[in-house]
C-alpha cells in the first residue's frame, strides 16, 4: 500500500545500467585519482550463496563510495573457473566440465546483475579460457627460466584399493576416507615453484601491511612461513665419511645433548640403518612402515607415547667429543631443518619424554633458578592484589629427570665449559662464534614454508607447457605455440587414479621436440588453480589483450589493488601465492610494487542455525532465491545492517522485512518532496539540516572504517527525522526536506542502489545518482549548540563562558579554572570548594 514496488524499481534500473554501462573505469584521459576495488573472484561451483551475497555487497559499498568521493574506480569481476568442482560434477553426472562451468558462470552473471553490483563489465575474465590460461603458461615459462619452477620426487598419499591419490583431508587415521583401506605413501615426480627462495621477503614485507590488513591474517602468514633463527651444527658420525648437520634454535644447549634423533622416513635414517646389524635393519624397517601410515599432525602431537628405534650408530659432539647414540623416532620430521636433531632432554620437552621412555641420560646445562640481570621479573598478584612471591627453588627441586618437565626458560649456563655463567642470548652468540671458528657450525635460519607443489593429476586445469624428449630432456613449449589448449574431455577417463587424465589423450600427448623435430611427449599434469588466482588482478587491467599478460603501464596506473575484499578462508594460501608471484613480477621489472593488495577486508561468515552454510549440511540459502521475496536492495541493506563486517552473521536474525520497510519509507520521502530542485539549500528546518549534514560529515570516515552498519543506522535516523519534518513542522515544501531526501538518495546508493536511483529521478534529476559527487557538509551546521555558563566566586559572577550544550562537569570545571578573568579575580587565593552544574553554573568558594 506504500506504492513502493521493489521489483519494478529493480528491473527498471538494471535495464538502464545495462544500457548505459555507467560503471566502466575511466581511461587514460581521466584525471581523477584512481581506486582499484576488488572482491575475491568466485568459483563457479554451483549457485552463489549468502556468503557471496555478503562479500559482494561489501565490495559494492566500497566501490560506490569511492565513486561518490570523486575517484576513478576500477571494480571488475571474473571467475576462478578451473578446478575440482567442475571435474567432480563431470565425473558424477557425466557432464562436460566445460559446459557445466560456463552454464554456472551465466547463472552467476545473472545474479550479480540482479544484485545491482556496479562492475566494469567490459573486463570479464574466466581463468578456464585459453585467452587467460595461456598467460599462466607464459608465467610458468618465466619461472622456469629463472630457476623458480623445478621437478622433484615427493611422497603423496595413495590408496592402493581405489588406486588414487588422496588429499591430506581424505586420509582419516591413516585410512582412506572412502574405502577404509590403509593409505600408503607413494613417490611421484611433480612440479614445484620455489617460493622458499622468497621466504624472507614474504615475511619481512608483512611489516608494510600492518594496519592495512587484519592482524589475524598477518599473524597467520607469519606462522605459515614460520622462520626460526638458530644454528646449523655438524656432527661427525662414526663409520661415515660425511658429517650430519642438525638445525637447532638452542645451540647454547649443545653441551646438554645426550643423543641424536633422525627422521625414520629420511634417506639418512635408511642409510644409517643399512650400515647396522641385520636385527637393527629389521626393527627399523618395521618401524618405518608404521610411521609411514601416520600423518604429520599425529607425529607432532605431544600427548602420545614416544616411539623409536636405536640404530646402534653414534655421533660425536663437536664441542666435547662425547659419543651420542643415534635413534630414529617419528617426532622428528624428514622435511624440517635437516631431518635430524641433537636431543637435549633437560631443556626440550619432546626430547625429555623420549629420554624418559628409553632411559637415556639427561643433563641440565641451564640453571633456570639463577637470576638474569636486567630481566624484570613478572610478579603475579593474588585475589587480594598482594604479590605472590616465588617459592624458594633449588635446581634439585626442578630436576627434569624427576619432574618430567623440561626447563625451557631463561637462566645461566652450567656444565658447559667456557659458556658457564652466560645468559641464553650471550651463550647463543658465543657458541655460534666458537662453532664458526672451528668450522663445525654456523648461524642459520629454518622455515616451515615448503616449496609450492603445483602439479595436479587432473583434467580441468592449465596444461603444464613442457615437453619430454626421447633422450630425457625436458624443454619448454615455445612461447609462440601458447596457448597449449586442453583437449576435449569427451572420451577421457577423468576419475582420479594417480596419473593425469591428459595422459589418456593419445593424440594430444604427441608432440615434437622443438629443438630436434623428433617425436616427443607432452607433460600430462595440469597446474594448481592457485596459480590462476595468483595474478588475475593484473589481468583485469587488459583482459582482452592477446599480446601480453598485462601492460606494465596499466599496472603502474591501477595496481596494487587498493581495497581487496573476501573471506578469511583465503588468509594463507591464496594471499601468500599472490604475494609471491607479485615479487617475482617485480624482480622481472614488470610491476613497480612488491605487495599486491594494499588493504584487505575480511568479512565474517553467514551462518544458519549458528553453523556454516554448506551444501553437504543441506542448509544452504541460495543467493538468487534469497532476492526473490524481499528484493535485492532489501537483502543488501539487511546484510550491511546486520553487524560489523568482520563478525559472523546468523541469517535467521537478519530482517529483510525490516530493511524493505525502511526502503519504502525512504522512497516515500522522495515522493512527498514538493519543493523544486533549484530551491535555496541554506534554508529551512535547522534541526533536520543538522541531521543531514552530520550524516554527510560522518559517513565517509565510517565507511573507511568499514562500519557500514552504523551508516545504515544513521540513514534510518535521517529518514525518520525527515518524515517527522514533513508531517509536522514546515511540511514537504521545506527546502530542508528536499535537502534531506537528496542526501538520503546519495548515501543510500551505497546500500540500495535501485531504490536510490529511483529516489533521485523522483527528485527531478537525471541518472545516475551512483555517479554524483559527495555533498560536502556545511561546517556551521556541525558545530554543536552552545550555551552560556556563569562562573561565580564566593557568590559573585566573575565570568561567563560559551560552552557546548552537552559539556560534562569535569570539562566545564577545567574551562572555568583556566579562564583569564577567573584567575585574575582569584589572585593567590586557593579554591577550597567547587560546585559544578553543567552546562550553566560553576561556583567556586575560597573560604
Ligand atoms: C636442540 C634444542 C634444545 C632444541 C632445546 C629446542 C630446545 P622450531 O622453533 O619449530 O623451529 N628440530 C629441528 N629439526 C627438527 C625436525 N626435523 N623435526 C622435529 N624437530 C626438529 O624448532 C626448532 C627446534 O626443533 C630445534 O632446536 C630442534 O630441537 C627441533 F632446549 O635443538 B632444538
Amino acid at each position: 500500500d506504500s506504492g513502493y514496488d521493489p521489483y519494478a524499481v529493480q528491473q527498471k534500473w538494471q535495464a538502464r545500467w545495462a544500457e548505459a554501462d555507467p560503471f566502466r573505469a575511466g581511461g587514460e584521459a581521466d584525471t581523477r585519482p584512481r581506486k582499484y576495488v576488488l572482491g575475491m573472484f568466485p568459483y563457479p561451483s554451483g549457485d552463489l550463496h549468502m556468503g557471496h551475497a555478503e562479500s559482494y555487497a561489501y565490495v559494492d559499498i566500497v566501490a560506490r563510495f569511492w565513486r561518490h568521493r570523486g575517484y576513478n574506480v576500477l571494480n571488475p569481476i571474473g571467475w576462478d573457473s578451473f578446478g575440482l568442482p567442475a571435474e567432480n560434477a563431470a565425473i558424477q553426472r557425466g557432464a562436460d566440465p566445460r559446459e557445466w562451468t560456463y552454464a554456472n558462470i551465466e547463472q552467476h552473471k545473472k545474479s550479480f546483475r540482479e544484485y545491482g553490483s556496479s562492475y566494469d563489465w567490459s573486463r570479464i575474465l574466466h581463468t578456464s579460457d585459453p585467452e587467460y590460461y595461456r598467460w599462466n603458461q607464459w608465467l610458468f615459462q618465466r619461472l622456469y627460466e629463472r630457476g623458480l619452477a623445478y621437478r622433484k620426487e615427493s611422497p603423496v598419499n595413495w590408496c592402493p584399493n581405489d588406486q588414487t591419490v588422496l588429499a591430506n583431508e581424505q586420509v582419516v587415521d591413516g585410512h582412506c576416507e572412502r574405502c577404509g583401506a590403509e593409505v600408503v605413501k607413494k613417490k611421484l615426480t611433480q612440479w614445484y615453484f620455489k617460493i622458499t627462495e622468497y621466504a624472507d621477503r614474504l615475511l619481512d614485507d608483512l611489516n608494510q601491511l600492518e594496519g592495512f590488513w587484519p592482524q589475524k591474517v598477518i599473524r597467520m602468514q607469519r606462522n605459515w612461513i614460520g622462520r626460526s633463527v638458530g644454528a646449523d651444527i655438524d656432527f661427525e658420525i662414526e663409520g661415515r665419511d660425511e658429517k650430519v648437520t642438525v638445525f637447532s634454535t638452542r645451540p647454547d644447549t649443545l653441551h646438554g645433548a645426550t643423543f641424536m634423533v633422525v627422521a625414520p622416513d629420511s634417506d639418512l635414517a635408511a642409510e644409517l640403518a643399512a650400515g647396522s646389524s641385520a636385527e637393527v635393519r629389521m626393527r627399523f624397517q618395521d618401524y618405518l612402515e608404521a610411521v609411514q601410515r601416520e600423518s604429520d599432525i599425529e607425529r607432532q602431537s605431544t600427548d602420545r607415547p614416544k616411539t623409536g628405534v636405536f640404530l646402534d650408530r653414534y655421533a660425536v659432539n663437536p664441542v666435547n667429543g662425547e659419543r651420542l647414540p643415534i635413534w630414529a623416532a617419528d617426532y622428528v620430521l624428514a622435511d624440517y631443518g635437516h631431518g635430524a636433531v641433537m636431543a637435549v632432554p633437560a631443556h626440550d620437552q619432546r626430547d625429555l619424554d623420549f629420554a624418559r621412555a628409553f632411559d637415556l641420560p639427561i643433563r641440565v646445562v641451564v640453571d633456570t633458578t639463577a637470576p638474569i640481570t636486567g630481566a624484570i621479573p613478572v610478579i603475579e598478584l593474588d585475589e587480594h592484589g598482594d604479590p605472590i612471591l616465588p617459592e624458594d627453588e633449588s635446581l634439585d627441586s626442578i630436576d627434569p629427570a624427576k619432574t618430567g618437565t623440561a626447563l625451557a626458560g631463561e637462566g645461566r649456563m652450567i656444565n658447559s665449559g667456557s659458556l658457564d655463567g652466560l645468559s641464553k642470548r650471550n651463550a647463543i652468540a658465543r657458541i655460534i662464534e666458537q662453532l664458526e671458528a672451528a668450522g663445525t657450525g654456523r648461524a642459520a635460519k629454518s622455515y616451515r614454508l615448503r616449496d609450492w607443489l603445483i602439479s595436479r593429476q587432473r583434467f580441468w586445469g592449465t596444461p603444464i607447457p613442457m615437453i619430454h624428449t626421447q633422450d630425457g630432456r625436458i624443454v619448454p613449449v615455445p612461447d609462440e605455440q601458447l596457448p597449449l589448449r586442453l583437449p576435449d574431455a569427451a572420451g577421457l577417463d577423468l576419475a582420479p587414479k594417480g596419473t593425469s587424465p591428459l595422459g589418456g589423450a593419445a593424440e594430444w600427448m604427441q608432440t615434437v621436440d622443438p629443438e630436434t623435430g623428433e617425436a616427443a611427449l607432452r607433460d600430462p599434469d595440469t597446474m594448481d588453480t592457485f596459480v590462476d588466482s595468483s595474478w588475475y588482478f593484473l589481468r583485469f587491467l587488459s583482459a582482452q589483450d592477446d599480446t601480453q599478460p598485462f601492460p606494465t603501464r596499466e599496472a603502474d596506473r591501477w595496481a596494487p589493488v587498493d581495497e581487496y575484499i573476501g573471506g578469511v578462508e583465503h588468509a594463507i594460501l591464496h594471499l601468500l601465492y599472490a604475494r609471491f608471484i607479485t615479487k617475482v613480477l617485480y624482480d622481472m621489472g614488470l610491476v613497480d610494487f612488491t605487495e599486491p593488495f594494499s588493504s584487505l577486508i575480511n568479512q565474517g561468515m553467514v551462518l544458519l542455525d549458528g553453523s556454516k552454510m554448506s551444501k553437504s549440511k543441506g542448509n544452504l540459502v541460495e543467493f538468487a532465491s534469497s532476492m526473490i521475496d524481499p528484493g535485492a536492495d532489501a537483502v543488501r541493506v539487511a546484510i550491511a545492517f546486520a553487524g560489523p563486517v568482520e563478525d559472523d552473521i546468523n541469517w535467521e536474525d537478519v530482517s529483510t522485512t525490516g530493511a524493505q520497510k525502511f526502503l519504502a519509507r525512504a522512497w516515500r520521502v522522495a515522493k512527498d518532496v514538493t519543493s523544486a530542485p533549484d530551491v535555496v539549500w541554506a534554508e529551512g528546518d535547522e534541526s533536520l539540516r543538522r541531521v543531514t549534514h552530520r550524516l554527510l560529515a560522518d559517513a565517509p570516515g565510517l565507511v573507511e572504517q568499514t562500519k557500514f552498519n552504523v551508516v545504515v543506522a544513521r540513514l534510518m535516523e535521517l529518514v525518520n527525522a525527515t518524515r517527522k519534518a514533513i508531517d509536522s513542522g514546515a511540511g514537504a515544501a521545506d527546502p530542508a526536506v528536499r535537502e534531506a531526501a537528496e542526501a538520503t538518495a546519495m548515501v543510500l546508493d551505497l546500500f540500495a542502489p535501485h531504490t536510490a536511483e529511483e529516489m533521485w529521478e523522483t527528485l527531478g534529476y537525471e541518472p545516475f545518482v551512483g555517479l554524483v559527487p559527495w555533498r560536502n557538509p556545511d561546517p556551521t551546521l556541525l558545530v554543536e549548540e552552545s550555551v552560556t555558563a556563569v562562573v561565580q566566586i564566593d557568590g559573585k559572577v566573575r565570568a561567563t563562558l560559551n560552552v557546548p550544550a552537552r559539556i560534562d562537569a569535569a570539562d566545564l570545571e577545567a574551562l572555568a579554572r583556566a579562564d583569564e578573568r577567573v584567575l585574575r579575580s582569584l589572585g593567590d587565593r586557593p579554591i577550597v570548594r567547587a560546585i559544578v552544574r553543567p552546562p550553566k553554573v560553576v561556583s567556586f568558594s575560597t573560604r
Side-chain angles (χ1 to χ4, degrees):
D1 61 319
S2 68
Y4 167 71
D5 179 350
Y7 313 102
V9 168
Q10 244 169 263
Q11 273 169 0
K12 170 176 164 186
W13 290 103
Q14 281 159 20
R16 298 261 189 108
W17 289 327
E19 197 188 305
D21 201 10
F23 305 117
R24 270 191 195 222
E28 281 212 49
D30 195 323
T31 55
R32 290 174 298 172
R34 286 174 295 268
K35 274 279 176 202
Y36 188 175
V37 177
L38 185 63
M40 293 178 184
F41 65 165
Y43 302 111
S45 53
D47 288 336
L48 295 165
H49 53 74
M50 295 322 288
H52 297 106
E54 184 196 14
S55 184
Y56 296 109
Y58 298 151
V59 173
D60 208 44
I61 290 169
V62 173
R64 287 175 179 275
F65 170 72
W66 288 112
R67 271 189 219 105
H68 288 296
R69 300 298 285 173
Y71 283 73
N72 178 8
V73 172
L74 171 59
N75 178 30
I77 182 76
W79 279 267
D80 194 3
S81 47
F82 268 143
L84 273 187
E87 198 151 329
N88 289 341
I91 294 163
Q92 280 158 20
R93 296 169 228 179
D96 184 311
R98 189 175 277 118
E99 281 165 23
W100 186 87
T101 299
Y102 286 86
N104 280 329
I105 290 176
E106 280 319 303
Q107 183 56 45
H108 284 201
K109 283 181 189 163
K110 193 165 161 270
S111 293
F112 284 134
R113 295 263 189 199
E114 282 173 5
Y115 209 34
S117 288
S118 61
Y119 293 125
D120 179 339
W121 292 97
S122 69
R123 296 169 187 259
I124 284 182
L125 62 80
H126 318 115
T127 58
S128 53
D129 290 348
E131 295 73 27
Y132 184 89
Y133 67 70
R134 79 177 276 184
W135 302 112
N136 287 340
Q137 294 170 332
W138 173 93
L139 182 67
F140 182 99
Q141 309 288 34
R142 302 292 85 79
L143 270 85
Y144 183 73
E145 287 161 7
R146 304 176 76 81
L148 293 172
Y150 69 97
R151 260 160 52 106
K152 88 174 171 202
E153 246 200 356
S154 62
V156 294
N157 301 310
W158 176 254
C159 172
N161 181 44
D162 289 347
Q163 289 284 298
T164 185
V165 174
L166 301 175
N168 278 336
E169 309 82 69
Q170 295 172 305
V171 182
V172 178
D173 292 333
H175 295 264
C176 173
E177 178 192 56
R178 282 181 263 180
C179 71
E182 232 173 68
V183 173
V184 296
K185 289 260 156 67
K186 183 175 147 170
K187 286 200 166 171
L188 275 186
T189 304
Q190 317 233 43
W191 286 99
Y192 286 82
F193 284 169
K194 209 185 259 175
I195 190 172
T196 52
E197 197 165 303
Y198 283 70
D200 277 324
R201 286 164 68 185
L202 287 166
L203 195 68
D204 295 339
D205 287 355
L206 287 171
N207 296 338
Q208 294 176 35
L209 304 174
E210 289 279 0
F212 300 99
W213 279 30
Q215 195 52 50
K216 183 170 135 197
V217 176
I218 293 181
R219 197 175 346 107
M220 286 161 86
Q221 294 259 318
R222 286 208 176 105
N223 289 344
W224 190 261
I225 299 165
R227 180 165 68 194
S228 293
V229 179
D232 277 348
I233 306 172
D234 308 328
F235 287 74
E236 206 93 57
I237 307 292
E238 291 179 6
R240 187 180 196 257
D241 291 340
E242 270 172 69
K243 292 181 177 181
V244 165
T245 303
V246 306
F247 171 73
S248 176
T249 47
R250 295 292 308 274
D252 55 315
T253 63
L254 180 52
H255 291 263
T258 53
F259 55 102
M260 180 183 273
V261 185
V262 298
D265 47 343
S266 63
D267 294 344
L268 175 64
E271 184 213 307
L272 292 174
S276 208
S277 67
E279 198 207 318
V280 167
R281 287 203 301 272
M282 230 154 64
R283 285 177 45 204
F284 171 74
Q285 204 51 44
D286 286 348
Y287 184 59
L288 176 61
E289 274 164 31
V291 170
Q292 277 171 335
R293 290 192 289 268
E294 300 167 353
S295 70
D296 279 4
I297 296 166
E298 286 169 323
R299 286 176 64 164
Q300 284 174 291
S301 146
T302 46
D303 45 62
R304 51 202 280 279
K306 289 278 180 289
T307 58
V309 176
F310 176 45
L311 297 179
D312 201 11
R313 303 284 303 260
Y314 290 87
V316 181
N317 189 331
V319 288
N320 56 17
E322 273 179 19
R323 292 180 89 212
L324 307 178
I326 305 178
W327 289 67
D330 63 354
Y331 75 96
V332 172
L333 303 176
D335 67 349
Y336 186 67
H338 303 284
V341 307
M342 65 177 209
V344 186
H347 303 288
D348 181 284
Q349 191 61 46
R350 297 159 299 179
D351 296 342
L352 181 62
D353 295 342
F354 194 83
R356 281 160 54 97
F358 293 98
D359 216 8
L360 293 160
I362 297 163
R363 182 190 307 143
V364 175
V365 291
V366 184
D367 178 356
T368 55
T369 65
I372 301 288
T373 332
I376 300 165
V378 180
I379 297 179
E380 289 190 40
L381 303 179
D382 65 17
E383 72 264 34
H384 311 293
D386 295 326
I388 306 172
L389 295 174
E391 279 173 41
D392 244 358
E393 264 184 350
S394 68
L395 200 45
D396 239 12
S397 68
I398 54 172
D399 178 3
K402 293 186 194 125
T403 63
T405 305
L407 304 173
E410 299 271 341
R412 295 218 169 268
M413 303 307 300
I414 54 173
N415 301 328
S416 294
S418 62
L419 301 181
D420 280 357
L422 295 180
S423 66
K424 167 175 155 186
R425 222 177 87 188
N426 290 338
I428 289 177
R430 178 76 61 85
I431 188 80
I432 289 176
E433 270 171 32
Q434 292 174 357
L435 291 167
E436 281 179 351
T440 49
R442 62 216 67 85
K445 292 179 208 158
S446 199
Y447 302 86
R448 218 150 280 284
L449 183 67
R450 293 282 151 267
D451 276 341
W452 176 8
L453 168 58
I454 63 128
S455 304
R456 294 291 180 274
Q457 291 72 47
R458 291 295 194 154
F459 170 77
W460 192 233
T462 304
I464 290 182
M466 298 301 277
I467 295 169
H468 300 258
T469 68
Q470 284 175 356
D471 55 0
R473 281 172 301 124
I474 297 178
V475 295
V477 175
D479 275 358
E480 55 286 2
Q481 289 177 23
L482 301 181
L484 167 57
R485 288 164 188 268
L486 275 176
D488 227 334
L492 291 183
D493 176 12
L494 301 187
K497 55 190 175 301
T499 58
S500 178
L502 290 181
E507 222 177 290
W508 184 88
M509 281 297 289
Q510 300 299 326
T511 184
V512 291
D513 179 344
E515 282 158 38
T516 64
E518 279 177 37
L521 286 178
R522 297 204 177 281
D523 195 301
D525 285 359
T526 54
M527 294 183 207
D528 179 6
T529 55
F530 277 124
V531 176
D532 313 0
S533 54
S534 68
W535 69 282
Y536 77 110
F537 59 97
L538 291 167
R539 185 65 187 164
F540 279 127
L541 307 182
S542 66
Q544 262 65 267
D545 189 342
D546 61 3
T547 63
Q548 55 189 338
F550 60 90
T552 294
R553 196 181 156 69
E554 288 294 294
D556 289 350
R557 288 176 67 223
W558 285 109
V561 175
D562 295 290
E563 307 259 14
Y564 197 37
I565 301 162
V568 74
E569 65 274 17
H570 290 302
I572 298 179
L573 294 183
H574 162 57
L575 294 175
L576 191 71
Y577 295 148
R579 296 181 59 227
F580 162 56
I581 293 298
T582 298
K583 290 173 201 302
V584 174
L585 295 171
Y586 174 85
D587 291 349
M588 290 169 65
L590 294 181
V591 300
D592 64 357
F593 51 89
T594 54
E595 284 293 331
F597 311 119
S598 302
S599 149
L600 177 70
I601 300 172
N602 281 146
Q603 81 275 1
M605 279 190 300
V606 181
L607 309 175
L608 201 67
D609 296 332
S611 67
K612 193 180 165 174
M613 286 190 187
S614 76
K615 261 207 181 121
S616 57
K617 286 207 197 90
N619 66 349
L620 203 75
V621 176
E622 278 177 357
F623 180 30
S625 52
S626 80
M627 287 188 279
I628 293 173
D629 198 31
D633 281 353
V635 171
R636 297 171 52 131
V637 167
I639 286 172
F641 191 51
V645 167
E646 59 284 356
D647 286 9
D648 291 344
I649 296 176
N650 206 344
W651 188 243
E652 288 149 19
D653 303 339
V654 169
S655 170
T656 50
T657 322
Q660 203 178 33
K661 279 190 189 138
F662 157 65
L663 291 171
R665 282 169 74 84
W667 174 87
R668 171 55 61 192
V669 160
K671 281 273 176 215
D672 287 353
V673 168
T674 51
S675 53
D678 52 8
V679 80
V680 182
W681 265 51
E683 281 175 8
D685 182 338
E686 190 176 311
S687 66
L688 178 59
R689 297 199 71 214
R690 283 179 183 282
V691 182
T692 303
H693 286 254
R694 213 140 263 293
L695 173 66
L696 293 172
D698 293 347
L702 291 167
V703 172
E704 286 188 51
Q705 296 165 53
T706 68
K707 293 185 175 161
F708 307 143
N709 56 329
V710 180
V711 181
V712 174
R714 298 284 294 274
L715 267 171
M716 291 174 171
E717 181 195 350
L718 177 59
V719 168
N720 288 343
T722 316
R723 170 55 51 204
K724 226 166 96 190
I726 294 172
D727 292 348
S728 57
D734 186 341
V737 167
R738 163 166 280 278
E739 184 184 46
E742 291 184 5
T744 300
M746 192 197 67
V747 182
L748 189 63
D749 174 61
L750 308 188
F751 309 98
H754 308 90
T755 310
E757 291 292 0
E758 186 66 20
M759 287 177 69
W760 196 242
E761 191 185 57
T762 304
L763 289 164
Y765 291 105
E766 292 288 312
F768 292 95
V769 73
L771 303 178
V772 164
W774 198 264
R775 284 256 164 85
N776 286 326
D778 178 347
T780 61
L781 290 170
L782 303 177
V783 179
E784 276 188 86
E785 280 173 85
S786 57
V787 294
T788 303
V790 297
V791 186
Q792 306 178 359
I793 298 174
D794 297 331
K796 288 204 182 91
V797 174
R798 295 294 182 185
T800 57
L801 304 170
N802 206 18
V803 298
R806 273 178 279 178
I807 195 164
D808 68 16
D811 285 352
L812 181 57
E813 182 177 341
L815 278 179
R817 283 177 182 268
D819 187 86
E820 274 295 317
R821 289 155 300 180
V822 173
L823 289 172
R824 219 178 310 123
S825 66
L826 277 173
D828 49 14
R829 290 179 297 162
I831 296 170
V832 295
R833 212 156 71 96
I835 297 167
V836 185
R837 299 241 155 71
K840 295 214 166 135
V841 182
V842 181
S843 179
F844 293 132
S845 40
T846 63
R847 300 185 280 255

